[in-house]
Amino acid sequence: MARQSDEAFFWMLFSAGGVIAAILIPVHLFLFGLAFPLGWLPAPDYERLMSLVHMPLVRVYLFVFCSLPLFHWAHRFRYTLYDGLKVKHLNEVIFALCYGGAVAGTVLAAYLTWTIA
Amino acid sequence: MRQEIVKAAPAYTEFHPRWYRAPVSVYWWLGQWRYLKFILRELSSLFVASFVVITLLQVRALRNGPEAYSRFQHWLQSPWMIALNLVSFLFVVFHTITWFNLAPRAMPIWVRGKRLPEFLVAAPNYAIWLVASVVIAWFVLR
């Protein structure tokens, strides 16, 4: 289980991920999740997106986009389970699943953004 | 001297008095709008995470080539994904608004001994949100 001193570290990740999610996810979700699939706006084609992804800065951006918000989720979701559903007896399991998931997503994001170009 | 202090300590007993704690229902957050709002705000993180997973799948599809990407686009057009993204969008915007409105309470700013009104502290966040959204949309749509 997290000690008091570790808690600050996890809170920093939570906070940074919260900022990234708040500023960046709505526009991404609106464009790629709603506007393009529903035909409200013309979707960029494969070549166009690949030319974007070839820029190193875009790949760093995608890595951050796919990593920090997962740590935001891990922190919030584990406390929702602890307090909301009162499953305190499973603390260790929940902790491992939440941060395990966030770390797995981060590793996958690093691999994909590293090998895509 | 020290020994005597130790001896003076009360002896260990198995009959520890139990603290009284009022039992709280698992559904404590359903009773009041404030509590429900809190739980909904916390649950927004699930939709944040699910959209990150979708984006990871998008990057993987791009990496796997044009055919994989068109399959990915087709998948996003399915009614279930549209429904999920619609709900996700509402939750994510809820996260953004609650996050920005929390900032002035986490970091109160004082000017000449007076606390700046909350909306003035939160306003730059909304401005950054707007600018970032326009810049990203411009990059993608250009």
Side-chain angles (χ1 to χ4, degrees):
Chain A
M1 205 38 238
R3 277 173 288 117
Q4 200 70 43
S5 56
D6 297 332
E7 203 55 33
F9 172 70
F10 289 117
W11 195 88
M12 287 289 287
L13 284 175
F14 156 74
S15 185
V19 172
I20 297 289
I23 294 174
L24 301 180
I25 288 187
V27 63
H28 272 256
L29 214 164
F30 177 76
L31 289 175
F32 289 102
L34 295 172
F36 297 151
L38 291 171
W40 296 343
L41 289 167
D45 59 12
Y46 179 79
E47 281 70 30
R48 165 86 191 114
L49 288 179
M50 281 313 274
S51 74
L52 277 177
V53 167
H54 269 94
M55 300 197 276
L57 205 62
V58 171
R59 272 177 285 154
V60 171
Y61 168 87
L62 279 174
F63 171 70
V64 173
F65 185 95
C66 290
S67 168
L68 282 178
L70 286 178
F71 286 94
H72 169 82
W73 161 78
H75 181 94
R76 265 204 163 157
F77 192 58
R78 95 184 140 108
Y79 279 107
T80 311
L81 292 179
Y82 295 169
D83 303 329
L85 295 179
K86 305 206 303 172
V87 280
K88 283 228 159 59
H89 55 291
L90 291 175
N91 271 7
E92 281 82 3
V93 181
I94 291 170
F95 184 88
L97 284 179
C98 287
Y99 284 100
V103 168
T106 300
V107 170
L108 188 62
Y111 171 74
L112 287 175
T113 51
W114 189 260
T115 58
I116 194 167
Chain B
M1 188 63 203
R2 210 173 154 202
Q3 203 104 48
E4 261 160 55
I5 292 170
V6 172
K7 270 184 192 161
Y12 173 75
T13 164
E14 283 193 40
F15 302 103
H16 187 280
R18 283 174 69 93
W19 293 299
Y20 176 71
R21 285 196 180 141
V24 180
S25 155
V26 179
Y27 305 106
W28 59 269
W29 42 275
L30 275 177
Q32 273 192 44
W33 169 235
R34 285 153 45 105
Y35 298 157
L36 185 64
K37 212 171 96 174
F38 163 74
I39 288 289
L40 288 178
R41 191 192 77 194
E42 300 301 292
L43 284 182
S44 71
S45 64
L46 270 179
F47 297 94
V48 165
S50 74
F51 187 71
V52 166
V53 171
I54 290 174
T55 305
L56 282 170
L57 291 174
Q58 184 184 20
V59 176
R60 193 187 67 153
L62 282 170
R63 185 175 165 275
N64 289 348
E67 274 175 37
Y69 190 65
S70 87
R71 253 181 283 131
F72 170 80
Q73 282 178 305
H74 202 74
W75 175 63
L76 280 190
Q77 284 172 338
S78 69
W80 285 109
M81 287 311 291
I82 295 287
L84 171 70
N85 281 329
L86 208 62
V87 175
S88 292
F89 184 70
L90 296 177
F91 268 96
V92 167
V93 170
F94 186 57
H95 161 70
T96 301
I97 292 169
T98 50
W99 191 265
F100 287 167
N101 291 350
L102 215 62
R105 284 169 212 195
M107 288 182 298
I109 296 175
W110 295 75
V111 177
R112 290 193 208 135
K114 273 191 181 168
R115 218 178 126 172
L116 220 60
E118 285 192 1
F119 72 92
L120 270 185
V121 185
N125 292 333
Y126 287 94
I128 291 167
W129 184 27
L130 182 73
V131 171
S133 299
V134 168
V135 167
I136 291 163
W138 181 79
F139 254 94
V140 173
L141 292 168
R142 187 163 59 118

